[in-house]
Amino acid sequence: MNAETEYGKTYNFSEIKSREDFVQQHPLTFISHYKSYVDKMMEGKDDILTKDKPIIFAVTSGTSGTSSVLPMTQRQRINFFVQGVAVVYHSMLQAFPDSRKLQKSLKFFYTPRWRTCEAGVPVGPNSSSPTNTRQLLNVYSTPKAGFEILSEPEALYIHLLFGMKDKHIGMLEANFSSIILSSFKALDIHWKDIIEDIEKGRVNPNLKIDDDVRNELDKVLKPDSSRAQELREAFEGGPIGLAKRIWPNCHLMLAADSGSFELPANILRETYCKNLPIYSPLYAASEGLLGVNVWPLKHPSHYLLAPKSMFFEFIPVEHCKEDQPATLFLDQVQLGEEYELVISTAGGFWRYRFGDVVRVTGFYNQCPIIEFMYRQGQFLNVRGEKTSESSFYQALSKACESWSDIKLVDYCCCESILIDDQGSSWKSYAPTYYVFLELDGSGKLTAEQKNKIDEILAEQSYVYKSFRNKGSIRPMVVKIVRPGTFKELREFTIETTTASANQYKIPRTLKRKEAVNFVLDRVIKGD
């Protein structure tokens, strides 16, 4: 159907009769390949990449690299619902029968700031937001007026206020587990004010929101001293298991918990959401639906690829450095192997290397089941060693096991080339990794505890160990940052990039010098 588009004519789509023809005739592509075509579409020109007109131009988060714009068609949105949301809902009902009860959900998501391109099409994030789920807003605890608040701190306060007011909340939801964790961190600060609002039946007068929104919210609040007392008693028990004390009938947390979200998910499991199952339902991106998790009770989360949503190809990781490596099809991948995913989408991106690396963990009939590993570019690579995000996190997690009373709150890394002060010693000219840790605990890490991360990484990675032994990479530099740094980094990133609050991903490997300097400014003095 796209043979007569400008792109289809350029690449002779009319001559393609099989998947083999497609691979032989069309090169592997990166995002830069599509910019001129997307620019034309945003100007209002038709039949460029696809016959279907875009319904939005999706802006990627930019937190793990450079932000990009991708066209999204109605066909993709329908596929996302039919192949993704509907399947997940069925799986959720089977695994968690209490989901059938008529309970509200507390969903932490925010209305993005949209713009309109020359073609009159909205431009903004493609992640779940109040804008693209208007038909479902009634199932959430936040009144519709609350979703009109565009500033995140105020909107979050309203989410928490109405969520805590409803004792019978059945589910906590967000795109990512990190959003739910940061929401509980905000609750640590504001819970007394929120309880006072519930007791008095009003929205906090110090909250900076429009009067018309405030009036609508005040209409649905009534003084509730009984609920206020229940909440005070819930908070007396501390953070461990807090969610179940606030909402005794809550049966599920719905949020992504794999990749860079594994750490915040694990913190939630150990603290606020202890004894509350976490279900990571979808493997998705701005490009659309990639996979569904039909095993809600299994951990770590695995996803069944969705071949009716996209056409998949796979590049063995050992060939990722090549510009045009040979690819494998769905029926050719091997169990236990890691691959860079290549996708062709209904939005007109063909044989597109969008950066995700996955591991095949099994097969459902003939369709691969995968585990997300890391994003290309989210690795440390000062000497060609390419230490992946997952490899570094495994080493860090193992080192954390020896920290008796100190818990890891969050972390990120960068390559020393982004650090200005390299010292005066000739040895310092060898590159290294800078690691920034935010800790929860009264103690401090000893030099030995910090060095343990480097030692374990060398044990796990032969390539890293060889460079360390030769002195080509010097010992990693571990810095402790002050509490709240990663919350502030999130706010800084949202303010200075195109990322929205709904799609922010924790950048485990910092690539922007501005972000590096931001974190460096928050290193605890003397550390």
Side-chain angles (χ1 to χ4, degrees):
M1 63 177 287
N2 295 312
E4 296 304 313
T5 62
E6 177 182 323
Y7 193 89
K9 291 175 182 177
T10 300
Y11 287 91
N12 300 314
F13 278 10
S14 60
E15 298 178 6
I16 297 174
K17 307 300 181 185
S18 67
R19 65 183 189 178
E20 287 77 16
D21 290 345
F22 180 44
V23 167
Q24 290 175 6
Q25 194 156 305
H26 195 289
L28 292 168
T29 61
F30 293 95
I31 189 66
S32 57
H33 175 81
Y34 298 95
K35 186 178 185 307
S36 62
Y37 296 102
V38 173
D39 288 345
K40 291 178 184 178
M41 296 172 76
M42 295 179 74
E43 291 168 2
K45 295 177 181 176
D46 295 333
D47 297 337
I48 303 300
L49 285 171
T50 67
K51 294 293 289 184
D52 294 338
K53 293 184 178 181
I55 56 173
I56 69 166
F57 286 99
V59 180
T60 63
S61 67
T63 53
S64 59
T66 304
S67 178
S68 306
V69 178
L70 310 94
M72 169 106 177
T73 66
Q74 185 65 24
R75 186 189 305 269
Q76 286 173 287
R77 179 160 287 176
I78 292 172
N79 274 341
F80 195 98
F81 183 82
V82 175
Q83 303 294 327
V85 175
V87 175
V88 161
Y89 186 68
H90 174 74
S91 300
M92 184 176 70
L93 290 180
Q94 288 191 318
F96 307 103
D98 284 345
S99 300
R100 300 176 186 272
K101 296 178 180 179
L102 295 178
Q103 297 170 269
K104 294 273 189 179
S105 293
L106 169 53
K107 184 161 185 176
F108 298 102
F109 67 159
Y110 306 93
T111 300
R113 299 179 186 273
W114 293 88
R115 63 185 176 92
T116 303
C117 66
E118 190 176 340
V121 178
V123 181
N126 193 26
S127 53
S128 174
S129 73
T131 308
N132 55 30
T133 54
R134 291 188 183 278
Q135 300 88 339
L136 297 175
L137 294 184
N138 286 329
V139 307
Y140 303 128
S141 55
T142 303
K144 287 186 178 180
F147 295 114
E148 297 176 17
I149 302 171
L150 298 183
S151 56
E152 187 192 339
E154 286 75 17
L156 174 56
Y157 188 98
I158 295 301
H159 284 324
L160 292 170
L161 170 61
F162 284 90
M164 286 176 61
K165 187 181 186 307
D166 186 349
K167 178 180 180 178
H168 304 290
I169 290 293
M171 189 156 53
L172 305 180
E173 292 186 57
N175 291 343
F176 311 127
S177 57
S178 56
I179 294 177
I180 293 182
L181 179 58
S182 64
S183 299
F184 273 101
K185 294 289 187 182
L187 190 56
D188 285 341
I189 299 170
H190 298 297
W191 68 270
K192 291 181 180 179
D193 292 331
I194 292 173
I195 292 176
E196 184 180 354
D197 288 349
I198 292 170
E199 190 167 47
K200 294 181 177 180
R202 58 91 200 267
V203 173
N204 192 309
N206 296 320
L207 209 61
K208 295 178 181 179
I209 57 177
D210 294 340
D211 288 341
D212 55 344
V213 172
R214 180 184 295 276
N215 291 336
E216 288 297 313
L217 296 174
D218 279 338
K219 286 179 184 178
V220 293
L221 281 172
K222 291 183 174 61
D224 193 341
S225 58
S226 175
R227 179 59 178 159
Q229 183 56 32
E230 288 177 351
L231 290 168
R232 289 191 181 98
E233 292 173 1
F235 278 88
E236 287 175 0
I240 307 300
L242 179 61
K244 290 292 285 184
R245 293 198 303 276
I246 295 175
W247 303 288
N249 300 313
C250 188
H251 54 267
L252 181 62
M253 185 180 115
L254 204 64
D257 71 347
S258 52
S260 62
F261 307 113
E262 183 177 349
L263 176 60
N266 286 339
I267 292 174
L268 286 167
R269 288 186 180 100
E270 295 172 0
T271 56
Y272 304 103
C273 296
K274 191 169 185 177
N275 299 321
L276 186 66
I278 299 178
Y279 175 27
S280 180
L282 296 170
Y283 173 32
S286 296
E287 291 80 1
L289 174 70
L290 292 107
V292 292
N293 180 0
V294 296
W295 305 276
L297 299 174
K298 291 186 177 181
H299 181 74
S301 298
H302 293 173
Y303 305 90
L304 180 65
L305 290 178
K308 290 186 178 180
S309 177
M310 296 183 179
F311 178 73
F312 294 99
E313 298 174 65
F314 303 81
I315 301 172
V317 287
E318 59 268 26
H319 298 297
C320 286
K321 293 181 183 179
E322 301 172 22
D323 182 55
Q324 294 293 323
T327 61
L328 302 174
F329 297 121
L330 277 169
D331 56 336
Q332 297 173 327
V333 296
Q334 300 296 313
L335 181 66
E337 296 298 317
E338 293 186 8
Y339 302 94
E340 177 191 341
L341 273 184
V342 177
I343 57 175
S344 296
T345 75
F349 277 36
W350 313 101
R351 307 199 71 213
Y352 168 47
R353 299 177 68 171
F354 78 112
D356 280 12
V357 174
V358 301
R359 175 187 293 146
V360 176
T361 61
F363 297 89
Y364 184 82
N365 295 327
Q366 292 180 307
C367 188
I369 301 165
I370 60 93
E371 178 183 0
F372 174 80
M373 301 306 294
Y374 58 91
R375 291 274 297 166
Q376 289 281 21
Q378 284 292 288
F379 49 69
L380 296 157
N381 190 38
V382 296
R383 286 288 189 184
E385 73 284 2
K386 289 200 171 183
T387 299
S388 72
E389 175 187 318
S390 58
S391 296
F392 182 85
Y393 179 63
Q394 288 172 17
L396 177 59
S397 297
K398 193 170 181 180
C400 289
E401 293 174 2
S402 63
W403 304 349
S404 55
D405 297 323
I406 303 173
K407 298 289 185 181
L408 178 67
V409 173
D410 228 324
Y411 77 97
C412 65
C413 317
C414 75
E415 298 167 3
S416 57
I417 192 171
L418 293 173
I419 306 291
D420 291 329
D421 184 11
Q422 293 294 302
S424 57
S425 170
W426 68 271
K427 291 182 180 179
S428 69
Y429 284 102
T432 187
Y433 303 166
Y434 272 72
V435 182
F436 303 98
L437 307 178
E438 183 178 330
L439 304 176
D440 181 15
S442 57
K444 293 180 64 177
L445 292 184
T446 64
E448 183 180 359
Q449 287 173 316
K450 291 180 180 180
N451 292 338
K452 195 69 176 176
I453 307 171
D454 187 80
E455 293 173 9
I456 294 173
L457 183 59
E459 291 172 3
Q460 293 180 174
S461 170
Y462 170 79
V463 177
Y464 180 76
K465 183 177 182 179
S466 65
F467 280 118
R468 285 284 292 108
N469 288 342
K470 292 186 293 185
S472 300
I473 298 177
R474 57 192 169 97
M476 65 177 66
V477 179
V478 179
K479 296 289 185 180
I480 311 303
V481 297
R482 69 191 189 205
T485 290
F486 285 86
K487 176 180 179 292
E488 295 170 4
L489 176 62
R490 179 178 186 272
E491 294 167 353
F492 172 77
T493 304
I494 291 172
E495 288 175 4
T496 58
T497 71
T498 58
S500 76
N502 299 315
Q503 63 179 172
Y504 175 81
K505 301 180 181 70
I506 302 164
R508 296 304 182 198
T509 304
L510 300 179
K511 297 296 184 181
R512 298 171 58 230
K513 192 170 180 62
E514 298 87 349
V516 173
N517 290 337
F518 185 91
V519 176
L520 277 172
D521 288 342
R522 284 151 181 81
V523 170
I524 295 174
K525 290 183 179 180
D527 180 74

